[in-house]
Amino acid sequence: MDRLEELMQLRDRQRTEMKTARSVVKFKDLQWEINRMGKMKWYLHPNIRDTAHHAMIHYVIEIPPGSRTGKVQHQGGWTTYIWRGKGYSIISGKRYDWEAEDMLFMPVDVDNALVYQHFNTDPEKPALLVIGLPNVLDALGVDLGHGFEILEECPEWKAQQAQTAKR
């Protein structure tokens, strides 16, 4: 099988997946996980394949009262919505204070990776942050938003198919 046919098969699998994909993901239905970054619920992730959208990665991270997330080095390029709570983030050595309903933007630094960490300053209540970033791995799918079709085969492919049929 050639690489073009592999793309066509991938396209067909993606189309089949979209027929039964979830358009609504409910917070209450998501499971919490504890990982090196903290306590998280995932809405969209490259390995979550049953949603109708794969172009983004979205998750919620809960920071316990008076605690912090893990520290991360990354190029940036995403948003953080402060759903609940108050605190601050240190991004490449600079402090940014935030509270509920604020947006924190992580810039893309073309020269250096960002180093960041989020802190909850409330000693009694958890902070909830909603993070969104592009999933460049699956941003558009093979259909590229309009449908990927071969409308006419090239002559060489037709000739090869004819030769194969004669054997």
Side-chain angles (χ1 to χ4, degrees), residues 62-130:
E62 180 182 272
I63 308 171
S67 191
R68 59 179 172 69
T69 65
K71 186 185 284 188
V72 177
Q73 177 177 297
H74 194 275
Q75 188 167 356
W78 64 87
T79 61
T80 301
Y81 174 72
I82 313 305
W83 186 4
R84 296 182 194 144
K86 61 182 178 178
Y88 65 95
S89 298
I90 303 291
I91 304 172
S92 295
K94 187 171 179 184
R95 180 178 168 144
Y96 298 88
D97 292 294
W98 43 256
E99 61 186 38
E101 300 183 1
D102 287 349
M103 286 286 291
L104 174 67
F105 302 103
M106 304 292 275
V108 173
D109 187 334
V110 295
D111 297 321
N112 302 295
L114 300 176
V115 175
Y116 69 92
Q117 192 168 28
H118 308 293
F119 298 82
N120 180 359
T121 57
D122 192 320
E124 297 178 12
K125 297 179 185 171
L128 287 174
L129 283 60
V130 181

Side-chain angles (χ1 to χ4, degrees), residues 4-144:
L4 179 60
E5 285 307 310
E6 289 176 349
L7 273 181
M8 301 306 282
Q9 287 182 1
L10 175 59
R11 177 209 60 194
D12 292 345
R13 282 194 307 274
Q14 289 174 339
R15 287 178 177 176
T16 299
E17 287 172 358
M18 286 301 116
K19 290 177 183 175
T20 59
R22 294 183 292 160
S23 292
V24 175
V25 177
K26 297 190 179 282
F27 181 81
K28 67 179 180 143
D29 295 337
L30 300 174
Q31 299 297 312
W32 286 108
E33 73 174 36
I34 303 291
N35 58 44
R36 293 186 294 166
M37 191 61 184
K39 183 178 177 184
M40 300 170 73
K41 284 190 178 197
W42 294 90
Y43 285 94
L44 295 172
H45 180 282
N47 288 335
I48 297 174
R49 302 306 302 172
D50 67 340
T51 56
H53 185 24
H54 300 125
M56 299 292 294
I57 297 171
H58 276 279
Y59 60 90
V60 172
I61 189 161
E62 180 182 272
I63 308 171
S67 191
R68 59 179 172 69
T69 65
K71 186 185 284 188
V72 177
Q73 177 177 297
H74 194 275
Q75 188 167 356
W78 64 87
T79 61
T80 301
Y81 174 72
I82 313 305
W83 186 4
R84 296 182 194 144
K86 61 182 178 178
Y88 65 95
S89 298
I90 303 291
I91 304 172
S92 295
K94 187 171 179 184
R95 180 178 168 144
Y96 298 88
D97 292 294
W98 43 256
E99 61 186 38
E101 300 183 1
D102 287 349
M103 286 286 291
L104 174 67
F105 302 103
M106 304 292 275
V108 173
D109 187 334
V110 295
D111 297 321
N112 302 295
L114 300 176
V115 175
Y116 69 92
Q117 192 168 28
H118 308 293
F119 298 82
N120 180 359
T121 57
D122 192 320
E124 297 178 12
K125 297 179 185 171
L128 287 174
L129 283 60
V130 181
I131 289 85
L133 60 147
N135 175 9
V136 295
L137 302 175
D138 292 330
L140 297 175
V142 176
D143 267 335
L144 300 175

